[in-house]
Structures are given as C-alpha cells and as structure tokens.
C-alpha cells in the first residue's frame, strides 16, 4: 500500500498543532488526502560502519524558511551503502534518529527531524556522534504514506432481483457502509427499528435485533470472526449480522459478495 516517491511528494503536508491533548505543540507531517491515505510510523535499523556515510539521498519538498521548518523526504538509497537494505523507501520522511548500543540498545544520542528542511535535517544528522563500536546501530524512525486498502462489496437484495456494488475502506463496519451508500437493511414491517424520513433502518447497531443479517457467499476470509453472541442470532456459518461485521479486517483487500436476509424468514 506504499505510495511511490512522486505520489508521496504531492501528498505530504505539514500542520501546526497547538494546545492539543495528545501532542506537544509543534509542526507535524500529515497526508493531504487523509480520507484515502494514512500515515504510518516505521522504525528501521541501520548498522553503522566507521568511515562510511549512511547513503540516504534526500529531497526537499518545502523549505526556505528562517526557522528551518520544511518537508524533506528520502529520494533514494545509494547502492552498496549501509542503508540499502534497511527498509527505508523513497517517499519516507525521517522524523527521528537514535544511536543505540549493545544488546539492550542503550541510547547514546537522539535527534528529532520531523518537518525539517533539507539543510536543517542534514545538519542534525551530521551532529550525531561517529560510530565508536561494532555493536552500535542507528534506529531511523520515518513517517510513510500508505493508501488505505479498499474492499469491493457486492450486495444482493433479499429477493435476489438486484445487486449493488459498493467500494468500502478496509476496517469499516459493513452495516454502516451499506447505510451510507443507500442500502435499506430492515424490511418495511419492522417499524420499531426504522427511523428518519428515509426509513433506512438505523436501529442503533447493538447486535440485538437481528434484522441486518446477510448471507456471505464470497470473501468471508476478509471479515472479522463472529463472537458467540453474534453466532446465537444467525442461522448457519455463512450468515452474519452486518452491524457486527468489519470489512477488510486486518487491512485486507479483495471482493466480498453478500445477500440481505429477509428478517421474516
């Protein structure tokens, strides 16, 4: 799901965070298209060698400020360098480096480089102490842009007369995804569970009414496992309560085919 260098270069952006309950004040990297992309944090290990550089090629996407704030990404890795097989990929942005030593990875030095321009990042990397022992490693923490995986969900009506194809982001609740895209789940006689002018059957999704059953014909491996409560409300191994079902569980992609089950059956 990784973006390539060109794609990542057009999607990185920096956001100023102040008075947050979760983050210290500062500038942080984010994805512009955060509905379709997510920012992953990855730690890579590099074994340093005395007299050798890291071999990490850097590209500045934004900079030129007096405070050194900018966006710099990895553009390549020098062939044969200590970084070549480190796991770094073009498009990564280095946010931290730490020199560690020994079996317990005792920290010797650390720099923070998130949202730095090229000159500032290179200067900080150069400030790290040179290798002094064979058991030293450089732990490189990067932010990496990744595409959110999607799942195609083919939903057949209970009477089998029509099928609608939905594109759903992995990790979404099946019932909520169907409602958001106009699928009516409860039948018209289940009035106690119908709400709103559109009568889409928004019962609250507690898994208690059993009106949002679907029969899974294909792609069951892309769904989370049902718990005992859900199993007690469905008929057979191929039925699920859509309100208790996660599509693309574990960030899996693929295709799923389900049929709505008439709650009167």
């Amino acid at each position: 799901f990784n973006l390539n260098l060109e794609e990542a270069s057009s999607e990185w952006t920096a956001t100023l965070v102040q008075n947050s309950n979760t983050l210290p004040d500062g500038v942080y990297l984010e994805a512009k298209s955060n509905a379709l992309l997510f920012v992953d944090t990855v730690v890579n290990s590099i074994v340093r060698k005395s007299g050798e550089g890291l071999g990490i090629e850097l590209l500045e996407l934004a900079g030129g400020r007096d405070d050194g704030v900018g966006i710099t990404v990895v553009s390549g890795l020098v062939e044969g360098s200590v970084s070549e097989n480190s796991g770094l990929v073009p498009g990564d942005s280095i946010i931290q480096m730490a020199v560690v030593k020994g079996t317990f990875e005792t920290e010797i030095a650390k720099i923070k480089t998130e949202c730095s321009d090229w000159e500032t990042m290179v200067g900080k990397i150069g400030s790290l102490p040179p290798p002094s022992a064979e058991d030293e490693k450089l732990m490189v923490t990067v932010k990496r842009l990744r595409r959110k995986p999607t799942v195609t969900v083919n939903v057949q009506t209970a009477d089998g007369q029509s099928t609608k194809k939905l594109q759903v982001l992995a990790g979404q609740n099946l019932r909520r995804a169907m409602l958001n895209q106009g699928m009516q789940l409860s039948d018209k006689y289940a009035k106690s569970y119908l709400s709103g002018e559109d009568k889409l059957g928004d019962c609250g999704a507690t898994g208690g009414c059993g009106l949002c059953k679907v029969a899974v014909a294909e792609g069951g491996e892309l769904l989370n496992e049902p718990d005992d409560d859900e199993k007690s409300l469905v008929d057979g191994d191929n039925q699920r309560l859509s309100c208790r079902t996660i599509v693309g569980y574990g960030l899996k992609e693929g295709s799923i085919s389900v049929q709505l089950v008439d709650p009167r059956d």
Side-chain angles (χ1 to χ4, degrees):
F1 307 121
N2 296 340
L3 272 62
N4 60 36
L5 175 61
E6 182 178 357
E7 293 168 333
S9 297
S10 64
E11 285 289 346
W12 278 124
T13 187
T15 300
L16 175 64
V17 174
Q18 292 180 313
N19 302 320
S20 169
N21 292 326
T22 58
L23 292 172
D25 289 358
V27 185
Y28 295 90
L29 288 165
E30 291 186 355
K32 292 178 182 177
S33 305
N34 55 17
L36 302 174
L37 305 174
F38 70 98
V39 178
D40 199 4
T41 301
V42 182
V43 180
N44 302 276
S45 174
I46 298 175
V47 177
R48 301 202 299 171
K49 295 182 180 180
S50 180
E52 291 190 23
L54 294 177
I56 302 174
E57 298 172 341
L58 299 173
L59 172 67
E60 183 180 87
L61 304 179
R65 295 164 52 104
D66 293 335
D67 56 8
V69 172
I71 301 176
T72 302
V73 298
V74 175
S75 58
L77 302 171
V78 176
E79 185 177 354
S81 69
V82 294
S83 299
E84 183 181 12
N85 299 311
S86 63
L88 294 171
V89 298
D92 286 349
S93 187
I94 300 170
I95 64 170
Q96 179 176 290
M97 283 186 172
V99 179
V100 299
K101 180 180 180 180
T103 304
F104 298 103
E105 297 185 348
T106 302
E107 188 176 289
I108 298 173
K110 181 170 67 176
I111 57 170
K112 293 185 179 295
T113 57
E114 183 164 3
C115 291
S116 295
D117 62 20
W118 186 92
E119 185 175 357
T120 300
M121 183 170 291
V122 170
K124 288 183 176 181
I125 294 173
S127 71
L128 291 171
S132 60
E134 292 184 356
D135 59 352
E136 277 188 10
K137 292 186 295 185
L138 185 65
M139 308 304 292
V140 183
T141 306
V142 303
K143 283 190 172 180
R144 181 174 296 168
L145 282 176
R146 288 180 166 165
R147 176 177 53 83
K148 291 181 179 179
T150 58
V151 177
T152 299
V153 181
N154 301 295
V155 184
Q156 189 177 42
T157 56
D159 59 14
Q161 296 300 306
S162 64
T163 300
K164 185 172 183 177
K165 181 181 290 188
L166 313 178
Q167 293 297 322
V168 179
L169 291 175
Q172 282 194 305
N173 177 274
L174 176 58
R175 175 183 172 279
R176 179 53 55 192
M178 291 192 292
L179 287 175
N180 286 344
Q181 300 191 47
M183 298 294 300
Q184 183 168 325
L185 308 184
S186 306
D187 86 65
K188 61 184 179 181
Y189 299 106
K191 293 183 179 179
S192 61
Y193 295 105
L194 298 180
S195 62
E197 295 181 358
D198 52 13
K199 297 296 188 290
L200 290 178
D202 195 358
C203 66
T206 61
C209 73
L211 295 177
C212 65
K213 293 178 185 177
V214 295
V216 182
E218 178 189 3
E221 69 278 4
L222 302 179
L223 308 175
N224 63 317
E225 291 291 330
D227 58 22
D228 291 339
D229 290 338
E230 182 181 352
K231 290 178 181 178
S232 70
L233 291 169
V234 298
D235 301 315
D237 293 338
N238 72 322
Q239 280 197 6
R240 296 295 305 267
L241 296 180
S242 63
C243 69
R244 304 290 284 270
T245 302
I246 303 300
V247 175
Y249 188 70
L251 297 181
K252 298 174 184 174
E253 284 193 313
S255 178
I256 297 171
S257 294
V258 301
Q259 182 176 16
L260 302 181
V261 175
D262 192 322
R264 294 169 296 174
D265 292 343

